[in-house]
Amino acid sequence: MTPQTAARACGIDFGTSNSTVGWLRPGQDTLLQLEDGKITLPSVVFFNYEEDHSRFGREALREYIDGYEGRLMRSLKSLLGSSLIDSQTEVQGKALPFRHLLTLFIKELKLRAEANAGRAFDEVVLGRPVYFVDDNPQADKLAEDTLADIARQVGFKEISFQLEPIAAAFDYEASVQKEELVLIVDIGGGTSDFTLIRLSPDRRAQAERRDDILATGGVHIGGTDFDRQLSLHGVMPLFGFKTRLRNNAEMPSSQYFNLATWHTINFAYTRKAWMDLQDVHRDAAEPNKLDRLFRLIQERAGHWLAMEVEAAKIALSDQAQHRMALDPIEAGLSCELSREDFEAGIAQMLDRVATTVSKLLADAQLPAEAIDTVFFTGGSSGVPALRASIRALLPKAHHVEGNLFGSIGSGLAIEAMKRYGC
């Protein structure tokens, strides 16, 4: 589709790790620049206590890494559909509802998109995963309603939704030369979503595509889950995870799970968590590892460690081994991570992904041989073991890699033009 005039509406891909905004206009890139000339805005907020301001995206991460005192909040989308959405956290001694935190970020996303576009947006198509919450339609609907309410609060007057893998399909369809039966594989930070859809040059001009969508499915597994497994099984043993107390009981695991999960890292810094750690330290069979955990928490270095783990996961996509230096915690401390161990740690998750794809084929009543193309998008779709799992299911399909961070935003922009016009 090549619009003769600019679309009225934009499309927003609010992602667990990164967010984009797409807008169709003649002769220009679809994705708007949101920060430092880049099309992505990391879904991060940093409350800088020293200078009493809020920062977003890469700037938020820079201020945190530079050592400013404050609170870093990441993986904001994971709050949708969770019990935390109606809870609050503490920022500079004041209660901050998690709903307000999401509102701050979505408002900033809208403001930056409008600044780059040079116009206001009143209409929007928001992307959403196939399931915000697995096997709970009521909670899933509540998550969508919450996101719609937030969009209204920041100034959108007309709001609609499109499934993220369908949006990615529309982005891929803009380049196809013939009819294809395509499996869209969208592995984001928080969810894995799939769509089986017929695409063609003739079909892309049609407004109604319901008959072309043969099946959709999803599972609440994404890149942050891969990060958590790598952290727990590759790194946290250095800090006492799975070690024993003197009575041979296992070290309580809640602190480690909090530190290995982006949106719960700050829970490790509470007074109660600190007191609980002091209680078990006296009985630790390996107190030196607990000392490292104390230093990690005292330095509020949980987000730093999570970023190092994420970088290690990315590195293991290209190499079999990765050495993670942990000198800020202890001079000379390091961790040797291997792709083999990482893949073993996420094997059960990949099995669930494969089961979801198999069910998709069964729902569509199609054999694996019928699939022409597998289109990969989402920042976590590059994990080699995941791609190998999909290839084993669909050995004859052609594999295509889209813009891992931009396909959904571009597809939502196409959908926004169709729904709201120029």
Side-chain angles (χ1 to χ4, degrees), residues 5-12 21-25 30 32 117 119-126 156 158-160 409 412-422:
T5 58
R8 287 173 53 200
C10 67
I12 290 182
V21 180
W23 178 43
L24 280 186
R25 58 252 168 93
T30 300
L32 294 167
R119 53 150 292 173
F121 291 112
D122 293 328
E123 300 90 5
V124 64
V125 177
L126 291 165
F156 288 112
E158 293 188 47
I159 300 156
S160 58
L412 291 170
I414 292 170
E415 186 72 358
M417 170 66 88
K418 289 180 179 179
R419 292 185 184 183
Y420 298 108
C422 299

Side-chain angles (χ1 to χ4, degrees), residues 229 233 338-350 385:
Q229 289 299 106
H233 300 291
S338 73
R339 181 190 293 179
E340 182 179 4
D341 289 342
F342 171 54
E343 291 179 351
I346 65 172
Q348 289 187 339
M349 294 181 186
L350 297 184

Side-chain angles (χ1 to χ4, degrees), residues 171-183:
D171 178 53
Y172 173 59
E173 189 176 43
S175 65
V176 300
Q177 302 298 313
K178 59 183 177 61
E179 182 171 306
E180 298 179 20
L181 181 55
V182 182
L183 171 67

Side-chain angles (χ1 to χ4, degrees), residues 311-323:
K313 176 192 69 178
I314 294 169
L316 289 173
S317 292
D318 298 319
Q319 56 198 50
Q321 303 282 332
H322 177 75
R323 178 181 175 276

Side-chain angles (χ1 to χ4, degrees), residues 281-296:
H281 186 274
R282 292 188 293 269
D283 298 320
E286 300 180 67
N288 63 312
K289 294 183 178 179
L290 269 289
D291 290 340
R292 292 172 185 159
L293 182 61
F294 271 91
R295 284 194 291 275
L296 178 68

Side-chain angles (χ1 to χ4, degrees), residues 87-98 100:
S87 302
Q88 56 193 28
T89 188
E90 184 180 298
V91 174
Q92 257 182 320
K94 298 179 182 178
L96 176 72
F98 283 118
H100 183 60

